[in-house]
């Protein structure tokens, strides 16, 4: 016999339209929390939906703008996943447990917005960021972030970036997807 799936009663949430979500167990209680990125034209925030007791546990306001992409990665080397937001040309790393911003980085205005990002190497604090025709490797150290390298390809826009290890080597591969 195979594994099973158990469905329990639904938990509902109402708010502004969701743009992106990520789940992780930020408080190590054995239950995942759902992080809901929301916002307006002037500010963004995320709400932490606590599934163990079906409540909104906290709301964190960040000045990262509208249209956020949100993902989780362990960037400040404390052993717990952090939340990473990208909106427009800015990317922000946030420590959920300690409720503090880790770092933020704003790319040049000549590229309109961040299309996608993916953790490249969490032990080194590396994030691969796509701005369409440009890929940048961003490193988070302490409370700052710097671009370590860039690659430009004007042949196509990279709408979705994927970091993976295809073979037995230690080097990672990167795939870019476009519509």
């Amino acid at each position: 016999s195979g594994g099973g799936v158990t469905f329990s009663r639904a938990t509902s949430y109402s708010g502004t339209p969701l743009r992106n979500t990520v789940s992780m167990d930020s408080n190590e209680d054995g239950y995942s929390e759902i992080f809901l990125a929301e916002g307006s034209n002037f500010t963004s925030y995320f709400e932490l939906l606590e599934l163990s007791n079906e409540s909104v546990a906290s709301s964190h306001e960040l000045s990262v703008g509208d249209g956020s992409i949100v993902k989780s990665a362990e960037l400040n080397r404390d052993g717990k996943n952090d939340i990473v937001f990208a909106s427009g040309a800015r990317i922000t790393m946030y420590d959920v447990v300690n409720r503090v911003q880790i770092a933020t980085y704003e790319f040049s205005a000549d590229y309109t917005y961040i299309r996608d990002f993916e953790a490249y190497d969490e032990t080194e604090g590396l994030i691969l960021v796509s701005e369409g025709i440009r890929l940048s490797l961003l490193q988070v150290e302490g409370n700052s972030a710097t671009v370590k390298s860039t690659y430009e390809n004007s042949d196509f826009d990279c709408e979705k970036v994927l970091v993976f290890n295809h073979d037995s080597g230690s080097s990672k591969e990167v795939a870019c997807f476009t519509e």
Side-chain angles (χ1 to χ4, degrees), residues 3 21 24 29 36 38 50 52 56 60 73-74 78 91 102 108 117 120 136-137 141 146 151 158 165 174:
T21 62
M24 65 184 213
D29 66 353
L36 309 167
E38 301 188 81
E50 180 70 56
S52 64
V56 176
H60 305 263
E74 207 295 274
D78 66 356
I91 188 165
I102 298 168
S108 171
F117 64 89
Y120 183 81
S136 296
L137 190 61
E141 291 184 292
T146 56
Y151 172 77
C158 183
N165 193 346
V174 175

Side-chain angles (χ1 to χ4, degrees), residues 38-152:
E38 301 188 81
S40 67
N41 291 331
F42 304 106
T43 187
S44 285
Y45 61 95
F46 66 86
E47 290 187 332
L48 170 64
L49 183 61
E50 180 70 56
L51 296 180
S52 64
N53 61 10
E54 302 175 11
S55 67
V56 176
S58 60
S59 183
H60 305 263
E61 187 172 314
L62 300 173
S63 57
V64 295
D66 192 20
S68 297
I69 302 168
V70 61
K71 297 184 181 184
S72 69
E74 207 295 274
L75 295 171
N76 62 352
R77 299 172 185 89
D78 66 356
K80 297 175 176 71
N81 274 2
D82 307 302
I83 294 295
V84 185
F85 282 94
S87 180
R90 183 182 298 161
I91 188 165
T92 303
M93 290 60 70
Y94 189 81
D95 181 334
V96 177
V97 174
N98 296 308
R99 297 181 179 206
V100 63
Q101 183 173 301
I102 298 168
T104 189
Y105 186 85
E106 185 134 6
F107 288 92
S108 171
D110 61 344
Y111 292 91
T112 54
Y113 64 95
I114 295 171
R115 308 291 201 283
D116 194 24
F117 64 89
E118 192 74 32
Y120 183 81
D121 184 343
E122 292 181 51
T123 59
E124 296 295 321
L126 296 172
I127 301 172
L128 187 63
V129 180
S130 169
E131 297 172 86
I133 65 168
R134 182 168 73 176
L135 290 174
S136 296
L137 190 61
L138 191 66
Q139 185 168 33
V140 179
E141 291 184 292
N143 62 353
S144 67
T146 56
V147 172
K148 296 311 247 184
S149 63
T150 60
Y151 172 77
E152 291 200 31

Side-chain angles (χ1 to χ4, degrees), residues 130 156-164 174-179:
S130 169
F156 64 90
D157 266 358
C158 183
E159 294 294 323
K160 173 75 177 144
V161 64
L162 177 66
V163 175
F164 61 99
V174 175
C176 276
F177 301 94
T178 179
E179 291 183 14

